[in-house]
Amino acid sequence: MSIDLIDIKIKDGKFVLDETGDFTLIRGAERIRQQIEFRLSLWAGEWFLDTDFGTPYRTDILIKLGASGVTLDSVVGVLREQIITVPGVTGILEFTYAFDPIERLLSIKFSASSEYGIIEINKGF
């Protein structure tokens, strides 16, 4: 049996309040989607309460391809690992990516399974 986690809803970097001025709480698939997006947007070491939390962009991603054995596949592997470590994610069902070397833009699209259903995200870095 798992615990049903609750989170405060955030939109555009701001807390979402209800009509009475209270925080809007989310759970289930909506909470998991928000946590995936939060983990991918936060750099490791950025959050003072847990400097291990977040994606290791400085050490594992924003390195010149080919340097220290870094490949596009290893970068995508780091992102996949970050997704799968979010509480409530039970697996990655589909994962595609495209890299534009001119614009230096990596786009990912994936669907992840959870105990609340399938979560789909399309994100660019």
Side-chain angles (χ1 to χ4, degrees):
M1 180 176 179
S2 66
I3 299 172
D4 189 19
L5 300 174
I6 298 173
D7 207 346
I8 298 171
K9 185 174 185 173
I10 299 173
K11 183 174 182 183
D12 300 325
K14 298 177 182 168
F15 293 119
V16 176
L17 304 177
D18 65 16
E19 58 278 347
T20 65
D22 289 334
F23 292 118
T24 301
L25 300 178
I26 57 175
R27 58 176 25 113
E30 186 178 6
R31 181 200 62 81
I32 294 170
R33 174 190 315 282
Q34 179 172 288
Q35 284 297 309
I36 292 170
E37 291 176 353
F38 181 62
R39 183 177 289 270
L40 292 177
S41 68
L42 193 69
W43 292 43
E46 186 176 9
W47 190 30
F48 73 98
L49 292 175
D50 184 353
T51 56
D52 292 330
F53 184 84
T55 303
Y57 288 108
R58 285 184 189 91
T59 58
D60 296 354
I61 294 177
L62 296 177
I63 300 171
K64 185 176 181 179
L65 291 178
S68 303
V70 174
T71 65
L72 190 53
D73 287 337
S74 68
V75 167
V76 169
V78 170
L79 295 174
R80 290 175 61 101
E81 181 181 322
Q82 291 301 308
I83 295 163
I84 200 72
T85 59
V86 171
V89 173
T90 56
I92 297 175
L93 303 173
E94 199 174 326
F95 192 101
T96 59
Y97 65 91
F99 179 65
D100 181 345
I102 306 285
E103 296 293 324
R104 297 180 53 96
L105 177 67
L106 175 65
S107 300
I108 62 172
K109 182 178 180 181
F110 64 90
S111 57
S113 61
S114 76
E115 56 193 71
Y116 304 103
I118 297 173
I119 299 161
E120 295 181 348
I121 295 180
N122 191 354
K123 187 168 181 64
F125 298 92

